[in-house]
Amino acid sequence: MDDDENMIIDVVSPDEPTGGLKQENGGYAWEEEYKRSWDVLQEDENGLISTTVTQLSNQLKRKRLLRDTRTLHRGLVRHLILVVDLSESMAEKDLKPSRHDLVLSTLSTFLVEFFDQNPLSQVAVVVTHDELAHLVTELSSNPADHVRALRNAVRTPKGEPSLQNALEMARGTLAHVPSHGTREVLVVFSSLTTCDPGNILDTLDALVKDSVRASVISLAAEVHICKKIAQSTHGTFTVALNEPHLKELILENVPPPPIAQRSLARKASNLMRMGFPERITERVPTLCACHSKPTTKGFTCPVCSAKMCSVPAECVLCGLTLVLSPHLARSYHHLFPVLNFVEVTDWSEIHADNECAGCMGALSAPPAPGEQSLAVMRTQATGRYACPQCNQHYCIECDVFIHEALHNCPTCSSGTGAGGPAADMET
């Protein structure tokens, strides 16, 4: 009995090492991600917290905008295979309303925004359940077809997933992609297990050999094989913490990623044939070549005069890539992204102009001399964001619009800013 008591005392003794569970500050490792958000709120001189709430809201709006703006080699013609795990684990309700419903709604938003920012790209959808993989849609540029097919693929999640079968089907779909296009795979994985018919490491070697970039978003926890696949193919592996975080992780795949040097060395510079179709409106509906459905509106191929419902697309008869000039313009901005605007934190740096350079709306005016101390002026949020090139100030709404939709600084483009060509001519 005495030996047992001594043994128990030794186990719970604080002098024993904890196996790396505690950090240098004495807290546990899992407490590092724990944040006391209510401690961030601070009252102003009037006893209100509206200023702090507005500042936190602006930080959330700008979180997606602060991305890598370096001039890197990126692929404008992307070929993405979207792999969705529709096994029984997707029926879990830890993500509201359920993993299945949340993933489908988020992917619908992702597909629309993906083609809006990458109009020259193509997407195919692969789902895995019952230890099999099914190709739901072929490579195409129509987001409506992908969303409709994905929602009708599996109404109720069932069975176990097969990561190897899904990756093999994705690799086979990307086998005929031309050299000027990128090969990407995005896996939304929910299960902690995978039922594979063979060695999945052989599939990993084949992905690396074919220069396929695979990224994995896990809904449950970190899975070793998923992380290994992402790291070996120069992709990303992330775990969704909650509903907003999942949406953020999926939308991070909208901008084209930098092309790895390994893949860049194998790509040969060549020309890509494109055609600019003519939009037509007919009185009598005729069958389109893409869906074989009667329509009165469409686009005609300049080579074979085939009628297509929408563009961009590949002509089903001659295989010519059909695009419009706005599609090329929207793809071009990825090569030269707008620099991240810098938040103005010091009231002393604000000039006399209290109007937004974009919408001409009123910005917060600096406090009058003597009303607030210098310390308060340096800590209070200004609500202004300055372009690092022209040094013009914008509001948060214009900052978001410029980086997500316009992709050009209006002042820099017009040459009227402090660093524009017009200013240089005057000096």
Side-chain angles (χ1 to χ4, degrees):
M1 185 66 178
D2 296 339
D3 296 339
D4 295 339
E5 292 180 355
N6 294 335
M7 179 183 67
I8 295 176
I9 293 175
D10 291 339
V11 170
V12 300
S13 176
D15 298 333
E16 292 294 328
T18 57
L21 296 180
K22 287 193 173 184
Q23 305 298 312
E24 296 179 357
N25 56 4
Y28 289 98
W30 57 81
E31 293 179 348
E32 290 187 351
E33 298 296 331
Y34 178 73
K35 298 180 180 179
R36 299 168 60 91
S37 57
W38 52 88
D39 291 341
V40 181
L41 299 178
Q42 296 180 359
E43 297 180 355
D44 56 11
E45 58 181 4
N46 298 324
L48 303 177
I49 62 173
S50 57
T51 303
T52 305
V53 173
T54 303
Q55 185 177 2
L56 294 176
S57 177
N58 293 345
Q59 291 177 357
L60 293 177
K61 290 181 180 179
R62 300 189 73 243
K63 188 174 182 181
R64 284 188 55 212
L65 304 179
L66 301 178
R67 59 186 59 164
D68 189 4
T69 58
R70 295 176 298 173
T71 303
L72 301 174
H73 193 104
R74 303 176 186 270
L76 299 184
V77 183
R78 304 172 60 185
H79 297 82
L80 175 67
I81 307 298
L82 184 60
V83 178
V84 184
D85 176 11
L86 293 182
S87 61
E88 60 184 8
S89 61
M90 289 288 283
E92 297 289 338
K93 299 184 181 297
D94 51 350
L95 298 176
K96 303 301 179 182
S98 66
R99 293 184 183 180
H100 181 255
D101 297 335
L102 179 62
V103 167
L104 291 185
S105 61
T106 307
L107 289 180
S108 300
T109 306
F110 165 75
L111 289 172
V112 174
E113 188 166 349
F114 178 86
F115 286 110
D116 181 71
Q117 300 295 328
N118 306 272
L120 302 182
S121 303
Q122 294 182 346
V123 172
V125 178
V126 175
V127 298
T128 172
H129 59 87
D130 291 332
E131 304 177 10
L132 299 174
H134 305 274
L135 182 63
V136 178
T137 56
E138 299 283 350
L139 285 171
S140 67
S141 302
N142 194 334
D145 293 344
H146 297 306
V147 173
R148 188 184 309 108
L150 185 59
R151 291 187 177 275
N152 296 332
V154 177
R155 298 285 184 175
T156 303
K158 56 183 178 179
E160 295 291 334
S162 177
L163 184 59
Q164 184 182 15
N165 287 334
L167 293 177
E168 286 289 350
M169 181 165 290
R171 189 175 68 90
T173 306
L174 296 173
H176 304 289
V177 170
S179 60
H180 58 260
T182 62
R183 302 178 179 181
E184 305 175 35
V185 177
L186 176 60
V187 182
V188 181
F189 203 67
S190 173
S191 178
L192 295 176
T193 59
T194 173
C195 298
D196 300 327
N199 189 358
I200 194 173
L201 296 180
D202 296 338
T203 303
L204 176 58
D205 295 337
L207 293 176
V208 175
K209 182 179 179 181
D210 295 343
S211 300
V212 177
R213 182 181 187 271
S215 299
V216 183
I217 299 177
S218 178
L219 305 182
E222 180 176 311
V223 182
H224 174 72
I225 186 59
C226 295
K227 186 175 183 179
K228 182 178 179 61
I229 291 174
Q231 292 178 346
S232 301
T233 57
H234 300 280
T236 59
F237 175 79
T238 51
V239 179
L241 303 179
N242 46 44
E243 294 86 351
H245 190 224
L246 174 62
K247 182 178 180 180
E248 178 184 344
L249 294 178
I250 293 179
L251 293 181
E252 284 181 355
N253 296 272
V254 172
I259 299 180
Q261 294 296 331
R262 169 181 57 84
S263 303
L264 186 60
R266 299 182 181 181
K267 290 184 178 295
S269 299
N270 52 9
L271 299 178
M272 179 179 177
R273 295 181 68 249
M274 290 186 178
F276 296 92
E278 179 183 359
R279 183 179 180 86
I280 59 173
T281 302
E282 302 172 329
R283 294 183 178 180
V284 180
T286 58
L287 297 178
C288 65
C290 49
H291 300 92
S292 298
K293 295 182 179 180
T295 58
T296 57
K297 299 180 180 180
F299 300 86
T300 57
C301 176
V303 175
C304 61
S305 299
K307 182 181 178 181
M308 305 293 293
C309 292
S310 60
V311 291
E314 287 188 1
C315 180
V316 296
L317 298 183
C318 61
L320 181 66
T321 302
L322 304 178
V323 296
L324 300 178
S325 56
H327 298 150
L328 295 178
R330 290 209 306 267
S331 301
Y332 184 74
H333 74 263
H334 290 299
L335 298 180
F336 304 98
V338 183
L339 297 179
N340 295 325
F341 288 178
V342 181
E343 182 179 3
V344 180
T345 58
D346 194 348
W347 285 104
S348 60
E349 300 177 0
I350 295 179
H351 44 73
D353 189 7
N354 292 327
E355 291 185 352
C356 173
C359 62
M360 300 302 174
L363 297 176
S364 301
E371 292 184 357
Q372 293 184 351
S373 62
L374 182 61
V376 174
M377 292 178 63
R378 291 182 176 178
T379 56
Q380 186 177 0
T382 62
R384 298 167 178 249
Y385 303 91
C387 174
Q389 291 184 340
C390 63
N391 200 27
Q392 293 295 315
H393 292 182
Y394 294 88
C395 62
I396 180 62
E397 286 77 13
C398 289
D399 183 16
V400 175
F401 177 75
I402 289 173
H403 287 84
E404 289 191 348
L406 189 59
H407 303 291
N408 285 291
C409 176
T411 312
C412 294
S413 301
S414 61
T416 58
D424 296 338
M425 293 178 61
E426 295 177 0
T427 57

